[in-house]
Amino acid sequence: MSAYSAIRLAAFQPARTAPPFIQQLYGLAFPAHWRQKFLDFYRLGKRNPETYSQVPIRRLNELIRAVAPDLLCVARGATLEDDAPWLYARKPFPLPVLCTFINAWIRDLHSAKERAKHPELVEAAIVLGETLDTHELRWQKIDVDLLSRTSTPGGTAEPDPRLYQLLPDTLAHQIAALDPYRFEGVEMQFRIAAAARGAELVSWPPREFLGEEGTWRFSFVVALTVQTAPFTDDFRVHLRTGVRRWRTSGLVKVPFQGAVSAYMLADMPWLNEAPGSARLSVSRFGKSRGSDDYQWVRGGPEGMIGRLRFARDLPDPGKLQSDPGAWIDGKDGIQVGVVHSTSMGGHGVGAGLMPRDRSPLTDWAAVALEPRLRRVPDHGRSRYPVVPRNLPKDPQGKTKEARAAHKSILKREQQDSLRKQVVRTLGDAPLIAEIRWQNPRTRDALIATLAELLGLDGDGGEGAVRSWDSPELAVRLHIEDAGLVSAPLAFPGPKPQRKHLAEAITDRRTAIASMCDLDQRDPGQLTIIEIGHADSYRPSILDPKFAARLGYADAGRLTQFINLPSAARKTAGAKNIAHRAEASWKDAFRQLGVRTVPEHSLTGLPDDLQYVGLWMIKRRADGPTRKRRTAPVAVKISADGNITGWDPESGTWVPYREVLLALARHAEIPGEFDEDDVTEETPVTADAATQQNNGKREWSPDLEDQQAEAAQFIRAMLYSLRNEPTLLLTHAQNSRLHWPWLRNGSLRQDMLQFGPSPAQRIDLYGDMLRHVRVRDSGMDETPQWFAPDDETHVHGIASGLWTRPDSPDGFRVFLSTAEKPDTAKRAAVTASKIATRMDKKGEEVTDTGQNAWNPTALELAVLACQTHAAESDDPEQWAALAHQLRRAPDYRATLVLPLPLHLAKLTAQWA
């Protein structure tokens, strides 16, 4: 691993000497006065209609991808002015057909439930359609500069908002025009597929793989997105490569209340009067609400698809669900690939690509990006150490016996450390825990594992109560049958209905809290509950986990769950049960606030430095509570390893376990689910500040109120730390909606901003505060990468902190990568989905069926540090500290996030 001195990114930026990149396209504007009519119509029947300021357009975009994939929509909400195009095309699309889309959209803006409750909506839809003057819609030739960008006050380059869709699509056209991709005798031709974001190319037709369980189909995928990087003077294009696996046999398992995507290619146009397309269109099918029939999403007599004039019918979704392979090679002039997902079960083709496939495929596609785009330079290793001092060491010794003896010593040290941490957290109180079990093998594993982790002698006795006493700590373990705790929730009537969910949760919650009050023993801190897998509760509202967590929280007890052993899930073996038992106890201790904090190996940092992780807990309407809300959470790790959370009500830092219990006690209990309160749309304005994030915004009519509440929380929390050296860690994708300052386009170095107030120097919150924002690969915001070896061409994977070699002094943006974890040890870097390799025995191996491990490049942006002192901070050193915080001693593998953010994120399980 350490042999690699650099990493290579699948990221490209405009070349300094690039020739102009002007494309002539056809644009269609959405008239502004149309927008007001649509908005007035959309507000009809809504509670607090004045809070709705945008017209949701996602469903219309989805329709376009299904039946008119050559149209490109650059709007996420219909908010553009008259002269700003809404749709783009390389050739004018017939306006009569487009008008049928708009009329179908009008009738889709309100749900069937809303129309039933407000019958006047039907007439209003007719009136709106009649008042629109479709002659105002006309295609106009537009020259688009595909390299147009501006610079923000903070020095971040922002592209023209249209480029997020138009530039990737143009680059995809250039890639599709290349000679076929060839690798070790394999040839692939790529087609452009309709994409909601950026552009996507899929190798077509799909390839076959003959595995042990039959023939499987798969394609390679190339995806392009436009991205920005903070404090960087050019935007980027990220090129992602991967595998698309197709479902071709057996019944397609459609997620509960979900849908499955299907890629379709027809030899003639789908719609009357519409042109044909060489692109793959994309649609989704699922069960229609209230029946067992399958239909296309937006389909059926009341859906948008049902209102269009088709030249040919879409494949029957019911037949596609029962026989997904019938169309993969073509039937009646239509080819259909049903996308496989892990929830459907196993697949003979493994997920992901290793560097041996990714490198040549990226190089092939990159040819089409030249000369206007060039690859971002390889990143080199940081000059700072990246490993904490207290990271567990491997046993040492010249002989097997010596290594075994050293291993025993290390194990005893870990046991002693864990006991001391529990004592530090609980004080003089004993550790009182409970096991609610269903399978005796799980019960026995949990008992044995607890004693092993804490270094306790014996099995604690026999019977329903086990006891251990060590010089530092007394432990009591109560063992009970799970009984009611793990039973499915009870609903009135033969069929569970969502309107009774609140009552079912409350009844179980009350019953569990009462049971705890009556057990006549010392109050416990932890309960581990053996429960069925979530998929075993059908419908999902029968799952008792949320109610159990609330009931025990009311009794002041933390809860951790362990799933029943399952042969089908390969979790019934003794080793697997023991592994899951260990993980359950470790997570239970984490809930208590017991964690070993990385001891950084850097010099010159404050001795009493503490860390704070900020996380926004977002509960979607389809989550356990059926309510939409956002709650900020801040977790602090003090210099002595004490873990606390910010309590906004008292204005103090309280033990981590109290934060979890408070979140559970204040969790909203659902009433009857009302579609009027929540729309599945996520309208997004087209302003550059929003577009540059490239993310779907979770939208709520009271977003400004939520942002104000988040600002109040953060300000008060930071004020409490003003006299203490603190590193604040935030997460871009998680928090920027509620703290807009974290958007790339808003950032300015060494500043903070809340709401409409002007940005302020971070010194106002104390001269000892630093701020590092992390960003992961969600929405392709950080690029794929590999560690290159240009001599042997055996590219690999490397862990470390990486810097850009041509960056100026004091540059603020770095990349953090992790080593290959134990779970990916079978993922050889020389593995390929389409070629063979020689293994260590000299035998030829095919890796098509093996999963690849695709590590994330975590971006660490040092947004604020102290630069006014005689000895200014080095941003790279603070990035190295954030990287070391991913190497927590209690975890076998490097964490996805630095430990403070990891702990803050996990609080969402209690919200």
Side-chain angles (χ1 to χ4, degrees):
M1 291 285 185
S2 60
Y4 295 106
S5 61
I7 60 172
R8 184 163 296 163
L9 310 181
F12 303 81
Q13 63 187 25
R16 295 302 183 192
T17 57
F21 199 4
I22 309 297
Q23 285 279 303
Q24 187 176 83
L25 301 171
Y26 289 87
L28 186 76
F30 191 93
H33 61 277
W34 277 35
R35 174 191 175 272
Q36 189 59 49
K37 291 180 180 180
F38 272 85
L39 183 58
D40 291 342
F41 171 69
Y42 181 61
R43 287 172 169 172
L44 295 176
K46 294 283 191 292
R47 298 175 183 173
N48 303 315
E50 68 282 353
T51 62
Y52 293 84
S53 60
Q54 303 176 54
V55 181
I57 202 171
R58 182 175 66 87
R59 290 157 72 112
L60 177 56
N61 292 344
E62 187 173 13
L63 175 70
I64 289 172
R65 292 196 300 275
V67 296
D70 288 294
L71 289 176
L72 302 175
C73 181
V74 298
R76 294 292 183 265
T79 59
L80 304 183
E81 300 297 335
D82 284 313
D83 58 349
W86 157 51
L87 289 177
Y88 282 86
R90 301 188 182 277
K91 297 179 181 179
F93 189 83
L95 289 175
V97 180
L98 184 60
C99 288
T100 64
F101 295 174
I102 295 174
N103 283 318
W105 177 41
I106 290 173
R107 287 157 177 79
D108 189 68
L109 281 173
H110 294 95
S111 67
K113 187 172 183 178
E114 286 178 301
R115 292 194 296 270
K117 184 181 293 186
H118 304 282
E120 67 274 12
L121 290 174
V122 176
E123 179 63 26
I126 297 173
V127 172
L128 175 59
E130 292 175 346
T131 58
L132 297 178
D133 185 359
T134 56
H135 292 93
E136 295 181 81
L137 295 176
R138 53 178 61 91
W139 291 102
Q140 295 181 333
K141 287 185 179 180
I142 299 174
D143 289 332
V144 180
D145 181 356
L146 293 177
L147 298 181
S148 175
R149 66 267 200 196
T150 58
S151 182
T152 70
T156 298
E158 286 196 323
D160 180 329
R162 299 173 296 175
L163 301 193
Y164 288 100
Q165 205 67 31
L166 300 184
L167 177 57
D169 187 77
T170 299
L171 297 176
H173 266 272
Q174 296 178 178
I175 293 172
L178 294 172
D179 290 338
Y181 173 65
R182 297 182 178 92
F183 181 71
E184 299 198 13
V186 174
E187 182 174 297
M188 291 182 175
Q189 189 76 46
F190 282 78
R191 286 183 179 269
I192 300 174
R197 182 179 54 88
E200 182 181 84
L201 299 102
V202 179
S203 65
W204 200 267
R207 290 186 59 80
E208 287 188 350
F209 169 63
L210 182 60
E212 294 181 359
E213 299 180 3
T215 301
W216 306 88
R217 306 295 283 270
F218 70 99
S219 297
F220 277 9
V221 174
V222 176
L224 302 117
T225 56
V226 172
Q227 309 286 349
T228 63
F231 315 132
T232 304
D233 59 1
D234 256 326
F235 67 83
R236 296 176 175 181
V237 172
H238 288 176
L239 193 156
R240 173 174 54 83
T241 55
V243 173
R244 179 70 33 79
R245 297 178 293 175
W246 308 106
R247 197 73 190 176
T248 55
S249 62
L251 297 174
V252 175
K253 184 179 179 181
V254 179
F256 182 65
Q257 291 191 345
V260 173
S261 294
Y263 284 59
M264 298 183 288
L265 182 66
D267 61 4
M268 60 179 290
W270 290 109
L271 302 173
N272 288 324
E273 304 180 28
S277 176
R279 299 189 180 208
L280 292 160
S281 62
V282 181
S283 191
R284 298 184 300 139
F285 67 88
K287 276 190 178 182
S288 57
R289 182 166 292 186
S291 77
D292 291 330
D293 296 331
Y294 288 90
Q295 67 176 28
W296 293 106
V297 174
R298 318 299 170 225
E302 296 299 319
M304 286 191 285
I305 288 178
R307 299 179 185 277
L308 304 181
R309 296 190 298 272
F310 278 84
R312 65 187 317 158
D313 292 333
L314 295 174
D316 182 280
K319 295 179 179 178
L320 201 58
Q321 187 271 339
S322 62
D323 187 10
W327 280 269
I328 192 74
D329 292 316
K331 181 180 179 181
D332 300 328
I334 302 173
Q335 297 177 62
V336 182
V338 177
V339 177
H340 170 84
S341 66
T342 54
S343 63
M344 297 178 184
H347 195 284
V349 177
L353 297 179
M354 291 299 282
R356 186 183 175 194
D357 281 328
R358 181 176 297 128
S359 173
L361 182 57
T362 301
D363 290 344
W364 169 78
V367 172
L369 279 56
E370 299 171 348
R372 296 177 175 89
L373 297 173
R374 65 177 178 86
R375 197 163 196 156
V376 171
D378 291 353
H379 283 42
R381 289 189 178 276
S382 169
R383 65 182 184 274
Y384 286 102
V386 294
V387 179
R389 281 195 292 262
N390 62 337
L391 200 66
K393 300 177 177 62
D394 292 330
Q396 303 295 313
K398 294 183 178 180
T399 65
K400 183 178 180 180
E401 291 76 14
R403 288 190 295 272
H406 190 212
K407 182 177 181 180
S408 297
I409 294 173
L410 294 176
K411 181 178 179 180
R412 284 196 299 272
E413 290 176 352
Q414 292 173 350
Q415 292 169 334
D416 292 344
S417 175
L418 181 57
R419 286 199 309 273
K420 291 175 181 178
Q421 290 181 65
V422 173
V423 171
R424 184 191 64 198
T425 301
L426 299 181
D428 296 331
L431 172 64
I432 302 176
E434 177 186 40
I435 296 173
R436 288 278 175 173
W437 63 278
Q438 297 187 62
N439 188 299
R441 298 171 67 209
T442 303
R443 175 199 61 198
D444 295 344
L446 287 169
I447 296 171
T449 301
L450 176 63
E452 179 75 8
L453 287 173
L454 291 172
L456 305 173
D457 293 331
D459 55 9
E462 298 180 352
V465 181
R466 307 295 175 95
S467 299
W468 296 267
D469 290 287
S470 71
E472 312 100 332
L473 178 67
V475 179
R476 304 291 179 265
L477 179 63
H478 299 270
I479 305 167
E480 301 280 352
D481 185 271
L484 176 71
V485 175
S486 295
L489 295 180
F491 285 79
K495 185 175 182 180
Q497 296 185 39
R498 203 164 295 278
K499 66 181 181 180
H500 297 132
L501 179 58
E503 179 183 356
I505 290 177
T506 301
D507 288 348
R508 180 64 54 84
R509 174 183 189 171
T510 303
I512 291 174
S514 299
M515 179 181 65
C516 293
D517 291 340
L518 296 173
D519 60 19
Q520 296 183 343
R521 58 175 183 246
D522 293 335
Q525 299 101 358
L526 298 173
T527 297
I528 295 187
I529 303 167
E530 188 175 22
I531 195 170
H533 192 278
D535 287 349
S536 66
Y537 296 99
R538 281 290 175 259
S540 62
I541 57 175
L542 294 175
D543 192 333
K545 180 183 290 187
F546 186 64
R549 175 150 280 171
L550 297 183
Y552 277 105
D554 291 342
R557 302 184 192 181
L558 300 167
T559 45
Q560 175 61 32
F561 299 89
I562 182 171
N563 284 340
L564 280 163
S566 167
R569 299 180 186 280
K570 300 181 180 179
T571 60
K575 184 178 293 187
N576 185 277
I577 294 174
H579 172 74
R580 292 188 295 113
E582 179 181 348
S584 297
W585 279 117
K586 286 184 175 180
D587 203 47
F589 288 138
R590 186 267 308 168
Q591 294 177 27
L592 276 178
V594 175
R595 278 295 88 153
T596 303
V597 181
E599 297 176 8
H600 70 77
S601 55
L602 302 163
T603 59
L605 298 181
D607 293 333
D608 53 349
L609 180 63
Q610 58 190 7
Y611 316 111
V612 173
L614 176 70
W615 197 262
M616 302 291 173
I617 300 175
K618 301 174 184 178
R619 182 62 66 195
R620 290 177 57 87
D622 57 358
T625 66
R626 311 302 296 177
K627 294 286 186 179
R628 173 171 288 168
R629 62 170 299 193
T630 298
V633 171
V635 171
K636 181 176 73 170
I637 302 178
S638 301
D640 61 359
N642 190 35
I643 301 175
T644 56
W646 178 250
D647 178 17
E649 295 184 3
S650 66
T652 59
W653 294 90
V654 301
Y656 183 72
R657 63 183 182 275
E658 292 187 17
V659 174
L660 301 183
L661 293 173
L663 286 170
R665 294 187 189 113
H666 292 89
E668 294 183 68
I669 300 301
E672 180 179 354
F673 179 50
D674 191 343
E675 292 181 4
D676 297 345
D677 293 335
V678 176
T679 173
E680 65 181 271
E681 302 293 348
T682 50
V684 177
T685 59
D687 61 276
T690 296
Q691 289 280 2
Q692 66 91 24
N693 288 301
N694 292 321
K696 181 191 293 184
R697 287 178 55 184
E698 293 194 25
W699 177 80
S700 174
D702 63 344
L703 179 58
E704 291 185 1
D705 292 340
Q706 294 188 43
Q707 290 174 340
E709 292 171 3
Q712 183 179 10
F713 177 97
I714 299 168
R715 278 173 161 159
M717 180 267 294
L718 292 179
Y719 185 76
S720 75
L721 304 170
R722 63 194 180 281
N723 297 321
E724 304 168 27
T726 304
L727 172 61
L728 172 66
L729 293 151
T730 56
H731 188 283
Q733 290 102 321
N734 166 261
S735 299
R736 67 190 173 206
L737 177 63
H738 290 84
W739 191 7
W741 172 249
L742 296 179
R743 296 171 180 163
N744 285 350
S746 302
L747 295 173
R748 294 172 63 184
Q749 292 181 10
D750 307 324
M751 308 283 275
L752 289 175
Q753 184 180 28
F754 300 97
S757 303
Q760 300 172 313
R761 286 196 58 82
I762 197 170
D763 309 30
L764 294 177
Y765 291 89
D767 59 2
M768 292 183 283
L769 178 64
R770 282 86 173 178
H771 180 194
V772 173
R773 189 201 72 175
V774 308
R775 185 164 61 143
D776 59 31
S777 60
M779 310 293 282
D780 295 334
E781 291 191 36
T782 62
Q784 289 183 334
W785 64 277
F786 59 87
D789 186 331
D790 292 327
E791 293 184 5
T792 66
H793 297 286
V794 179
H795 307 308
I797 294 168
S799 64
L801 181 69
W802 309 91
T803 68
R804 181 165 172 163
D806 60 349
S807 60
D809 291 341
F811 193 63
R812 302 293 187 101
V813 184
F814 308 87
L815 293 177
S816 169
T817 63
E819 77 284 356
K820 190 164 61 173
D822 291 342
T823 54
K825 59 186 176 183
R826 295 185 65 186
V829 294
T830 56
S832 171
K833 288 288 188 294
I834 56 177
T836 60
R837 65 178 174 90
M838 304 303 291
D839 65 10
K840 295 180 180 179
K841 299 178 181 179
E843 299 176 352
E844 194 172 73
V845 177
T846 300
D847 294 298
T848 309
Q850 298 297 321
N851 289 328
W853 184 66
N854 302 310
T856 289
L858 190 70
E859 180 188 89
L860 303 176
V862 184
L863 302 187
C865 53
Q866 300 297 327
T867 57
H868 65 286
E871 295 185 4
S872 298
D873 291 340
D874 182 355
E876 186 176 339
Q877 186 178 34
W878 289 92
L881 174 60
H883 173 82
Q884 289 197 25
L885 288 172
R886 298 182 64 191
R887 307 291 299 273
D890 290 332
Y891 298 86
R892 295 179 180 176
T894 300
L895 294 173
V896 174
L897 299 173
L899 181 61
L901 277 175
H902 175 77
L903 296 176
K905 180 180 179 179
L906 290 176
T907 63
Q909 298 172 351
W910 293 76

